[in-house]
Amino acid sequence: MAHSQTTQNVSLQDSEDLWKYVVLLSKFCILFFDAGLAKSFGVLIENMVSRFDSDYKTIAFICSMPSALLTILCPFVYSLMKVVQPRLLVISGSFLCAVPLMCVPLVRTLPLLGFLFALTGFGMSIVFLSIFITLNEYFLKSFIFFNTLSTLGVTIGAFCLPVIVEWSLTAYGYNGAFLILGGMCLHTVPCSLTIRPPRDGKTLQVHPTATKENNNVLKSVDNQSTTPSASEKDFKKISVDSKSGDMESSRVSSLRIRLKSCVYFAEPLFALITPCFVFCYFFMYAWVLFLIPAAESLGIERSRAVYLASIAGFGGVVGKFGMLLTIYAKFDLILVYIICCSVCNVTIFISSVNDTYLYQALMAFTQGLTVFAFDSIGGVMTKLTVENEENVPIAFSFMAFACGIGILIGDALSGHIYDVTQSYRAVFNTLGLALLSVIVILVAVFIILRRRAKRNQTNSDSSQS
C-alpha cells in the first residue's frame, strides 16, 4: 500500500507559487532550533541541577516545557488564529521564542525559570503551528514528502546545537551559553515573516474555521432550540411538558452534531493513532535529554560524551535521507515506521551491554538513524489517517497536543525514575516500553488500512463489473 490517500472529491494540487520553497526553508529552520534547544538542555541539565540546588525530576520537567508547550498549546493557538491578525501573532510568537532564553542568566528561582521556558514554548507553538498549516496549503498533494524533508532541521539541529552550546559553556560559562542560545533562536523572527498563503489560489484553502455546511446545520439546530415554530406555539398551549421534551430533543441533536464535527469522531482512525504520538514523543525527547548523562554514567568523559549526540545526529541525517528515498519510491510508510521503531527498541535494551566508547557510538548512530527516520510520524500519520482534507489543520493541532503530552510526561517521569533508582538503565528500559507501545499501535493501524484498501478495491471492481 503506497502512502497516497483518498480524501474529498477534490483534486489536490501543489501551489505553483515559488514562495513555497521559502516556507519550506523556514519550517526547516524552526525545527532546527526546536530540536537543537531540546538537545542542548542535555548539555546544560547538570549545571542547572547544581545552580538551583534541585533534582533531575524537577529540572527535566522544566527543560521539557519549551518543546512540550510548543505542541500542547497548538489547539489554543489554533483558536487564537481566528481572532488575531496572523502576521502580528506570528511575529510576536517569534520574539517570545528567544527573548525569555536570553533572560535566563538573571533568574535565581525555579518558578521563574519555568515561567521563562513556558513563554518560549508558547512563542514556538505560535510559529510552529502557523508554518505547519501554511506548508500544507502550499504542498497539498506532496505534503508527506516535503514535510519529511523539512524535518531534516530536527536532525541537523540535534547534530549542531549541542556542540555549539558545549563550546559556549566552556568558553563563556552558564550565562554566556544561554545568551548565545537565545540569540540563535532570534532567527525565528525572519522565519515567521515568510508565512503567508499561496498567491496563485490554486490550492484547496483550508483555514481554521468550521465548514460552511456544519455552521449552517448548527445554526439551524440552535435556532430550533431558542425560537419555537408556529406548530410548537400551538403545541405549547396543549402541553408544556411536551414542549420541554422537544427542547431537550433539539439540544441532544445539537450536541450530536457538535460531537460529529469533532475531529476524533469525524476521523476515527486518527483517534486510534493519537496515543501513538504520545508514546513516540515520550520516547524521543527523553532519549534526547538523557543520552549524554547516560553515557557519562558509564565512565565516558563529558567532552567525549557530548559527541555521541553529534554521532546520533549524523546517523539521523543518513536515516532522514533514507526516509525520503522510501517516500519517493512509494514504500508503505507505516511498515517503514514499524521496522525503524523495532530496530531502535532493540538498541535501547542492549545499549548497556558494553560500556566502551566505540560500542556506545555505534548504539548512538543506530538510534539516531532510526529515531530521526520516524520523527516525522506526527505529520505523516495525520495526513494518512485523516480522510477529509478540511479536517487536516485541526487534526494537526490535536496531533501536536498529543505529542506535547508525551514530551511532558516522558521527561518528568524519566527524571523521577532516575531520582528514585539512580539508574539510567531503568530510565532507558521505560523508554523501550513506550516505544513498544508505538509499534503495537502502528501494527493495528497498518492492518486496518490494509483491510480498508482491499474492501475499497473489491467495491471498485464490483462497480466496474
Side-chain angles (χ1 to χ4, degrees):
M1 183 181 65
H3 62 266
S4 60
Q5 71 178 71
T6 303
T7 57
Q8 309 160 278
N9 293 325
V10 177
S11 178
L12 302 181
Q13 296 295 328
D14 291 346
S15 171
E16 296 178 2
D17 189 346
L18 294 180
W19 191 256
K20 61 187 178 181
Y21 298 110
V22 178
V23 174
L24 179 66
L25 178 61
S26 295
K27 187 170 185 290
F28 168 91
C29 294
I30 290 167
L31 293 178
F32 175 94
F33 291 113
D34 171 41
L37 189 63
K39 199 79 171 177
S40 298
F41 287 151
V43 177
L44 296 166
I45 187 170
E46 288 189 358
N47 296 79
M48 286 189 280
V49 169
S50 175
R51 183 183 181 89
F52 292 98
D53 191 23
S54 184
D55 53 40
Y56 277 88
K57 176 182 67 175
T58 304
I59 296 299
F61 176 79
I62 292 175
C63 288
S64 71
M65 291 183 71
S67 295
L69 292 181
L70 177 153
T71 48
I72 288 175
L73 292 177
C74 279
F76 171 74
V77 171
Y78 183 80
S79 300
L80 202 60
M81 291 168 63
K82 301 178 184 179
V83 295
V84 179
Q85 204 277 331
R87 182 58 60 89
L88 175 63
L89 181 66
V90 173
I91 293 176
S92 301
S94 62
F95 276 103
L96 280 176
C97 292
V99 174
L101 291 175
M102 301 173 72
C103 295
V104 167
L106 304 175
V107 172
R108 292 293 182 271
T109 63
L110 282 175
L112 188 54
L113 178 68
F115 175 72
L116 290 178
F117 279 13
L119 285 180
T120 295
F122 179 48
M124 294 178 73
S125 180
I126 294 172
V127 178
F128 172 78
L129 185 61
S130 300
I131 198 74
F132 215 115
I133 292 176
T134 303
L135 188 73
N136 184 59
E137 290 184 342
Y138 279 97
F139 295 102
L140 280 172
K141 183 178 181 180
S142 54
F143 173 81
I144 289 178
F145 178 84
F146 284 101
N147 179 65
T148 303
L149 180 62
S150 73
T151 58
L152 270 170
V154 175
T155 310
I156 298 176
F159 178 83
C160 296
L161 276 190
V163 177
I164 296 174
V165 170
E166 173 65 19
W167 290 344
S168 302
L169 187 63
T170 303
Y172 305 108
Y174 175 88
N175 293 346
F178 265 105
L179 286 173
I180 291 172
L181 193 58
M184 288 189 292
C185 287
L186 272 176
H187 288 82
T188 56
V189 176
C191 291
S192 68
L193 294 174
T194 67
I195 298 176
R196 62 170 174 78
R199 289 180 177 175
D200 55 16
K202 293 184 178 181
T203 62
L204 173 64
Q205 298 296 327
V206 181
H207 299 287
T209 55
T211 62
K212 182 176 179 182
E213 180 181 357
N214 283 343
N215 282 338
N216 290 337
V217 173
L218 288 174
K219 287 178 182 178
S220 174
V221 174
D222 288 341
N223 288 337
Q224 291 177 10
S225 300
T226 56
T227 306
S229 64
S231 60
E232 286 175 333
K233 290 179 181 178
D234 294 336
F235 198 71
K236 180 181 178 180
K237 297 177 183 178
I238 299 173
S239 174
V240 175
D241 292 338
S242 297
K243 181 201 169 185
S244 299
D246 289 343
M247 293 289 288
E248 186 66 26
S249 176
S250 66
R251 291 193 185 97
V252 171
S253 299
S254 176
L255 177 61
R256 186 181 298 113
I257 292 172
R258 292 182 189 279
L259 287 176
K260 287 183 179 180
S261 67
C262 174
V263 68
Y264 288 122
F265 287 90
E267 306 287 350
L269 199 55
F270 174 72
L272 176 61
I273 198 65
T274 296
C276 176
F277 306 144
V278 176
F279 290 117
C280 189
Y281 278 75
F282 177 112
F283 167 82
M284 285 195 297
Y285 276 77
W287 171 77
V288 163
L289 186 62
F290 288 102
L291 176 63
I292 295 172
E296 290 183 83
S297 71
L298 295 175
I300 297 174
E301 296 178 2
R302 180 182 180 82
S303 58
R304 301 182 71 197
V306 169
Y307 285 100
L308 289 178
S310 297
I311 292 171
F314 177 72
V317 173
V318 176
K320 188 67 67 178
F321 279 109
M323 195 68 183
L324 290 171
L325 288 175
T326 62
I327 295 173
Y328 182 78
K330 297 185 178 180
F331 285 107
D332 192 309
L333 291 185
I334 302 179
L335 190 57
V336 174
Y337 284 144
I338 292 172
I339 294 172
C340 288
C341 289
S342 300
V343 172
C344 185
N345 211 21
V346 171
T347 65
I348 290 296
F349 285 115
I350 68 172
S351 60
S352 62
V353 171
N354 191 315
D355 60 0
T356 63
Y357 188 80
L358 181 61
Y359 182 81
Q360 292 302 314
L362 177 62
M363 292 296 99
F365 177 83
T366 306
Q367 289 164 12
L369 180 76
T370 51
V371 168
F372 291 110
F374 65 75
D375 69 340
S376 59
I377 192 170
V380 170
M381 293 307 300
T382 298
K383 196 74 173 179
L384 288 177
T385 56
V386 174
E387 293 187 280
N388 188 340
E389 183 64 30
E390 289 187 352
N391 291 328
V392 169
I394 184 64
F396 279 156
S397 68
F398 279 100
M399 173 273 294
F401 177 82
C403 294
I405 294 296
I407 296 169
L408 207 59
I409 296 174
D411 283 5
L413 181 59
S414 299
H416 176 69
I417 291 172
Y418 178 76
D419 287 333
V420 172
T421 64
Q422 293 296 302
S423 168
Y424 286 109
R425 183 69 262 149
V427 172
F428 275 70
N429 285 341
T430 303
L431 300 185
L433 293 176
L435 197 56
L436 184 61
S437 301
V438 174
I439 297 170
V440 171
I441 296 172
L442 286 174
V443 168
V445 173
F446 175 79
I447 293 173
I448 292 172
L449 286 177
R450 276 295 179 96
R451 289 180 176 178
R452 177 185 292 179
K454 289 181 180 179
R455 184 169 60 251
N456 292 340
Q457 183 64 41
T458 302
N459 294 337
S460 176
D461 293 342
S462 300
S463 61
Q464 290 178 359
S465 60

